[in-house]
């Protein structure tokens, strides 16, 4: 009896329901990961994310081998070919059951249905476990309908979690019947950019979590909007590949901050809320699959006539808009593969509301550059900022990029890290630089563009 654990975005051995279930009843356990390089290319996955993935798979190989489990990394080329690769693998290795975590996006759901059908011809069950903090199938409104607004969703989640606090599953014991990898690990990850600043080793990631919960969660509410401060956890990359789980985050938060986590106005409670935003966007992507197909949640906004000016888009991508906070943010993304949340909101608002460029262009650019790219959170964040989404910022709330800079980076500490051209300036001049420094003048006039955007939305609503 040999079980197979199919790893996806859950590259860890602690708090792994599928792995624990496989180990419980089987003497011999194998593990597989299907690498889909064509998919990485089609989705334009960032070079830094590819390196992060490679390192995470190396770490997983190490963790699994200490449990006596071999990880085979199979080059499946394309996502659509994974069902046949899986069936071949099961035949070749005498697998009698397959365990994995459920994924909630449409393509993944369809893929799992194909796998299940193919495996059932071989008499092999595919058992899928729910790896979310709160399954999109569990949380529903009183009338059974899915939530469309975050605040009531989060309230319902808190009630649910207060009654049934999630358990972190222990790592399974090492197997006595060891397996060995059948193939040499394949290497087609494409272009890579050094991600070694982002920890993948379990001890390091857990230390990062503990440190955040013990030292910074308490002041999270006050600090989280200021990009010059180390006010947020920077755990998004680890969460995106499943190196840790939101359950582990919540358990650690409770251990360090106690009952404070239930107070949504406290620092710890605010961080808890951010973990729930992540669940919310999964809930939305599952229940309203049109957002996964490139459509707006608010369907009327699909008729907006975006200007889609390529030169303006290029200036935004390259941090050359003439708005210091926007440019510092876009350069942070380009240089580090990560961007602070406040800056994601400012730059997304600027692209859609000031440049009138389709939010899908920005969504794609973020996916192509972020180390923590996550389809549901990215789509949700973009649709929020562009006022096309569920809990959309109302269309008339348009961030002023100058006052946002003045408010969240008053002394320019963050801006100067990425826009050194402005180092001779101080105070308010830094947010409205003169044109003499080799730094571009604003590519658009904010108040003019604001009026155009208001008219674009208004026209559709009348
Ligand atoms: C336009 C836009 C695009 C975004 N794209 C992504 C993306 O591709 N991947 C991604 O993980 N997050 C995305 N976010 C959400 C958020 O910006 C990042 O999760 C956060 O900046 C990561 O930093 P952190 O780990 O320090 O977060 P913390 O503030 O420490 O938050 C802890 C965790 O909660 C989750 N989280 C926090 N804020 C949000 C949020 N608004 N929505 C969903 N989850 C959240 C993340 O998993 C994060 O790691 C996006 C937001 C916007 C506005």
């Amino acid at each position: 009896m040999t079980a197979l654990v199919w790893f996806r975005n859950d590259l860890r051995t602690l708090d792994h329901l599928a792995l624990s279930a496989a180990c419980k009843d089987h003497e011999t356990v194998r593990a597989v990961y299907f690498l889909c390089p064509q998919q990485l290319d089609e989705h334009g996955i960032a070079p830094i994310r590819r390196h992060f993935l490679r390192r995470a798979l190396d770490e997983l190989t190490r963790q699994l081998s200490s449990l006596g489990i071999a990880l085979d990394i199979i080059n499946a080329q394309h996502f659509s070919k994974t069902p046949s690769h899986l069936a071949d693998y099961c035949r070749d290795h005498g697998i009698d059951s397959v365990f994995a975590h459920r994924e909630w996006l449409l393509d993944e759901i369809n893929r799992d249905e194909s796998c299940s059908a193919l495996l059932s011809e071989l008499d092999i069950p595919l058992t899928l476990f729910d790896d979310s903090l709160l399954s999109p199938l569990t949380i529903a409104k009183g009338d059974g309908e899915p939530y469309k607004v975050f605040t009531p969703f989060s309230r319902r989640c808190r009630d649910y979690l207060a009654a049934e606090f999630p358990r972190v599953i222990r790592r399974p014991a090492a197997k006595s019947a060891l397996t060995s990898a059948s193939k040499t690990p394949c290497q087609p990850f494409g272009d890579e950019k050094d991600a070694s600043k982002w920890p993948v080793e379990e001890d390091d990631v857990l230390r990062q979590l503990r440190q955040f919960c013990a030292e910074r969660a308490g002041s999270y509410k006050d600090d989280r909007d200021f990009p010059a401060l180390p006010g947020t956890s920077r755990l998004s990359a680890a969460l995106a590949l499943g190196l840790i789980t939101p359950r582990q985050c919540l358990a650690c938060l409770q251990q360090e901050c106690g009952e404070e986590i239930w107070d949504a106005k406290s620092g710890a409670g605010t961080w808890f809320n951010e973990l729930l935003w992540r669940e919310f966007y999964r809930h939305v992507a599952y229940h309203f699959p049109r957002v996964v197909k490139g459509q707006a949640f608010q369907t009327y906004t699909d008729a907006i006539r975006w200007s889609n000016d390529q030169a303006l888009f290029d200036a935004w991508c390259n941090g050359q808009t003439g708005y210091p906070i926007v440019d510092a943010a876009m350069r942070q993304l380009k240089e580090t593969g990560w961007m602070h949340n406040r800056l994601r909101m400012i730059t997304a608002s600027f692209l859609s509301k000031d440049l009138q460029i389709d939010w899908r262009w920005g969504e794609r650019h973020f996916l192509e550059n972020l180390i923590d790219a996550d389809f549901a959170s990215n789509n949700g964040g973009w649709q929020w900022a562009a006022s096309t989404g569920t809990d959309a910022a109302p269309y008339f709330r348009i961030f002023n990029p100058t006052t946002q800079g003045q408010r969240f980076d008053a002394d320019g500490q963050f801006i100067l890290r990425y826009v050194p051209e402005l180092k001779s300036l101080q105070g308010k001049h830094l947010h409205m630089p003169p044109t003499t420094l080799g730094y571009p003048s604003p590519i658009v006039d904010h108040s003019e563009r604001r009026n155009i955007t208001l008219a674009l939305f208004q026209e559709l609503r009348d």
Side-chain angles (χ1 to χ4, degrees):
M1 301 272 279
T2 303
L4 179 68
V5 183
W6 175 4
F7 281 86
R8 292 134 172 227
N9 285 329
D10 50 3
L11 306 181
R12 61 180 187 277
T13 54
L14 244 184
D15 198 26
H16 200 292
L17 297 154
L19 175 67
S20 296
C23 288
K24 190 163 162 269
D25 299 326
H26 291 78
E27 245 345 280
T28 315
V29 178
R30 304 190 67 88
V32 72
Y33 180 86
F34 294 110
L35 189 66
C36 302
Q38 283 179 23
Q39 207 75 16
L40 298 182
D41 291 344
E42 270 173 29
H43 290 185
I45 298 300
I48 194 165
R49 171 62 168 260
R50 294 176 193 231
H51 188 228
F52 189 59
L53 172 62
R54 176 203 290 284
R55 290 173 53 237
L57 285 168
D58 288 346
E59 165 67 7
L60 180 66
T61 303
R62 191 192 63 71
Q63 287 182 27
L64 284 170
S65 82
S66 72
L67 298 179
I69 298 170
L71 174 68
D72 282 317
I73 300 171
I74 308 278
N75 182 358
Q77 296 296 344
H78 198 270
F79 184 83
S80 57
K81 300 203 180 120
T82 44
S84 61
H85 279 283
L86 177 65
D88 290 347
Y89 188 93
C90 290
R91 255 188 240 106
D92 293 349
H93 293 89
I95 302 294
D96 59 71
S97 29
V98 179
F99 297 82
H101 286 141
R102 191 185 295 281
E103 295 186 302
W104 297 100
L105 300 182
L106 192 60
D107 284 349
E108 282 74 4
I109 293 169
N110 291 337
R111 174 205 58 196
D112 286 348
E113 279 172 8
S114 306
C115 288
S116 204
L118 211 53
L119 289 180
S120 72
E121 287 171 20
L122 304 174
D123 234 1
I124 302 174
L126 167 65
T127 311
L128 295 174
F129 293 82
D130 188 358
D131 195 28
S132 24
L133 192 53
L134 287 158
S135 159
L137 302 176
T138 310
I139 297 294
K141 294 198 290 188
D143 59 5
E145 289 296 306
Y147 282 97
K148 296 179 183 174
V149 177
F150 176 72
T151 306
F153 170 85
S154 68
R155 245 185 257 123
R156 175 82 189 87
C157 292
R158 280 169 185 276
D159 289 349
Y160 194 93
L161 292 166
E164 204 168 321
F165 200 71
R167 263 182 343 115
V168 171
I169 310 278
R170 279 193 302 199
R171 199 190 325 274
K175 298 271 106 190
S176 48
L178 308 187
T179 53
S180 53
S182 56
K183 314 228 166 164
T184 40
C186 59
Q187 305 288 312
F189 285 68
D191 275 354
E192 289 180 26
K193 181 175 163 189
D194 185 19
S196 48
K197 283 199 181 130
W198 294 85
V200 290
E201 289 80 15
E202 182 183 276
D203 286 350
D204 294 338
V205 177
L206 292 177
R207 191 174 316 113
Q208 187 184 344
L209 170 63
R210 255 192 316 273
Q211 251 171 18
F212 173 78
C213 292
E215 295 167 17
R216 282 180 283 130
S219 53
Y220 179 75
K221 186 165 193 266
D222 298 328
D223 293 349
R224 68 180 177 139
D225 276 319
F226 298 91
L229 300 178
T232 69
S233 69
R234 296 207 176 207
L235 283 164
S236 49
L239 280 162
L241 280 190
L243 310 187
I244 49 164
T245 64
R247 291 183 296 272
Q248 287 171 288
C249 292
L250 206 49
C252 185
L253 190 67
Q254 194 190 41
Q255 203 176 348
E256 298 296 339
C257 303
E259 290 305 300
E260 196 186 312
I261 68 169
W262 301 109
D263 172 7
K265 294 200 176 83
S266 69
T270 306
W271 198 62
F272 185 175
N273 232 31
E274 296 308 309
L275 295 172
L276 294 179
W277 271 106
R278 187 174 183 270
E279 301 296 317
F280 178 62
Y281 286 138
R282 278 171 164 58
H283 179 89
V284 170
Y286 173 72
H287 288 291
F288 304 95
R290 62 176 178 273
V291 302
V292 177
K293 296 184 201 155
Q295 290 166 29
F297 182 85
Q298 306 286 351
T299 40
Y300 84 90
T301 64
D302 272 332
I304 291 176
R305 288 174 289 107
W306 304 102
S307 75
N308 291 347
D309 182 316
Q310 185 66 47
L312 293 181
F313 181 65
D314 292 344
W316 178 81
C317 293
N318 293 315
Q320 298 289 340
T321 66
Y323 285 95
I325 194 73
V326 173
D327 292 341
M330 295 308 293
R331 294 183 198 185
Q332 178 183 41
L333 177 62
K334 202 170 178 180
E335 286 174 35
T336 70
W338 187 83
M339 193 196 283
H340 188 277
N341 181 58
R342 167 60 47 183
L343 303 176
R344 295 187 204 207
M345 295 195 287
I346 296 173
T347 54
S349 169
F350 187 77
L351 185 83
S352 53
K353 305 277 180 65
D354 284 65
L355 303 185
Q356 282 123 24
I357 288 176
D358 192 331
W359 56 271
R360 283 159 278 235
W361 289 31
E363 181 195 23
R364 168 96 190 174
H365 182 74
F366 271 27
L367 285 179
E368 288 174 352
N369 286 277
L370 283 171
I371 190 166
D372 63 19
D374 172 90
F375 186 88
S377 297
N378 192 44
N379 180 273
W382 272 98
Q383 296 224 41
W384 181 90
S387 305
T388 64
T390 45
D391 235 12
Y395 72 92
F396 46 82
R397 193 188 296 152
I398 298 179
F399 284 163
N400 177 324
T402 307
T403 53
Q404 286 285 311
Q406 287 165 338
R407 193 162 158 209
F408 296 110
D409 192 34
D411 60 3
Q413 215 187 325
F414 176 79
I415 290 174
L416 290 179
R417 272 183 220 158
Y418 293 97
V419 191
E421 303 96 292
L422 303 180
K423 66 177 181 299
S424 60
L425 302 177
Q426 279 179 347
K428 67 175 190 202
H429 300 293
L430 205 133
H431 299 282
M432 285 183 283
T435 51
T436 49
L437 297 167
Y439 178 71
S441 1
I443 51 171
V444 289
D445 177 275
H446 171 69
S447 49
E448 251 173 40
R449 303 297 284 204
R450 181 175 184 280
N451 290 337
I452 298 173
T453 297
L454 291 178
L456 278 177
F457 274 88
Q458 199 62 56
E459 182 185 303
L460 294 173
R461 293 172 68 90
D462 288 343

